[in-house]
Amino acid sequence: MKRIAIDMDEVMADFMPKHLKLFNDDHGESITIDDLQGKKLRELRSDHVEQLANYLRDPSFFRDLDVMPDSQEVIRDLYEHYEIFITTAAMEFPTSFTAKYEWLKDHFSFLNDLNFVFCGDKSIIHADYLIDDNVRHFKRFSGQGILYTAHHNIHETGYPRVDNWQDVRAYFLGS
Ligand SMILES: [Mg+2]
């Protein structure tokens, strides 16, 4: 069986709406995803980088993120044909471990705990494919990077791109 590694934030978990709402509410702003095409919020508001990171250090931040549409059904189907590992760069926010683990158990209970990889540098991951929204993880990855579209990566080229989970299904399982 070939092995697929899958990122969590902005791929399985809809991270951005909550992060944006916290920032907007605290600053009386109304930034939308449309304002963030081709860039990250910390680039648009570079004077608030530390506060933006602090939202993510809240141990509960990752606990109630919405599940990306169709990700549960598609991952369940992939699971029959591929070895699936969930690979999240959790060392960036070590306080997120418990919330991320509980979120996975809630929404992806059919996956085995031993296939969850909370890691630092993803270049250690040995898989045939990595589905991720950050191209930096592909640079030293030995398998095929699959870029999951997010507002910040719309200008990236050089990798197969999927816009949603139906695209993931088509890429790996045909239509
Ligand atoms: Mg991500």
Side-chain angles (χ1 to χ4, degrees):
M1 258 192 193
K2 292 211 169 179
R3 180 180 291 169
I4 306 175
I6 306 174
D7 176 39
M8 285 179 73
D9 298 316
E10 295 187 88
V11 174
M12 298 169 71
D14 201 3
F15 164 97
M16 207 54 220
K18 181 171 179 181
H19 202 205
L20 203 46
K21 184 174 190 323
L22 286 169
F23 184 81
N24 279 335
D25 287 354
D26 282 352
H27 293 86
E29 292 212 51
S30 49
I31 302 167
T32 68
I33 297 280
D34 287 341
D35 301 320
L36 294 169
Q37 298 302 302
K39 55 174 104 61
K40 298 200 171 186
L41 183 52
R42 65 171 180 263
E43 292 162 346
L44 188 75
R45 288 292 180 269
S46 54
D47 45 339
H48 293 289
V49 168
E50 193 54 26
Q51 184 180 15
L52 287 166
N54 277 337
Y55 292 133
L56 310 183
R57 293 188 182 106
D58 176 339
S60 68
F61 178 87
F62 293 90
R63 187 63 184 86
D64 61 354
L65 299 183
D66 287 338
V67 179
M68 284 292 206
D70 303 328
S71 60
Q72 288 153 307
E73 304 90 281
V74 174
I75 291 174
R76 190 188 291 275
D77 290 347
L78 290 176
Y79 192 57
E80 293 176 20
H81 304 275
Y82 295 88
E83 217 182 340
I84 302 293
F85 282 83
I86 308 306
T87 57
T88 180
M91 285 314 297
E92 290 167 5
F93 298 100
T95 46
S96 70
F97 290 171
T98 302
K100 286 190 166 209
Y101 174 76
E102 290 175 351
W103 187 92
L104 283 168
K105 295 306 287 178
D106 263 8
H107 301 294
F108 294 86
S109 57
F110 55 94
L111 294 173
N112 189 312
D113 286 17
L114 299 183
N115 291 39
F116 300 159
V117 182
F118 286 25
C119 63
D121 186 332
K122 290 190 188 181
S123 68
I124 194 69
I125 302 297
H126 184 68
D128 297 287
Y129 304 94
L130 170 61
I131 306 173
D132 208 296
D133 63 295
N134 277 304
V135 294
R136 70 187 162 92
H137 295 306
F138 299 153
K139 307 286 188 214
R140 294 196 297 138
F141 177 65
S142 58
Q144 174 66 59
I146 309 285
L147 184 61
Y148 194 98
T149 296
H151 62 90
H152 60 82
N153 69 27
I154 56 167
H155 301 308
E156 298 285 354
T157 56
Y159 302 97
R161 176 184 286 278
V162 288
D163 289 336
N164 53 53
W165 277 92
Q166 291 307 333
D167 281 359
V168 177
R169 182 198 293 279
Y171 185 91
F172 287 102
L173 299 173
S175 44

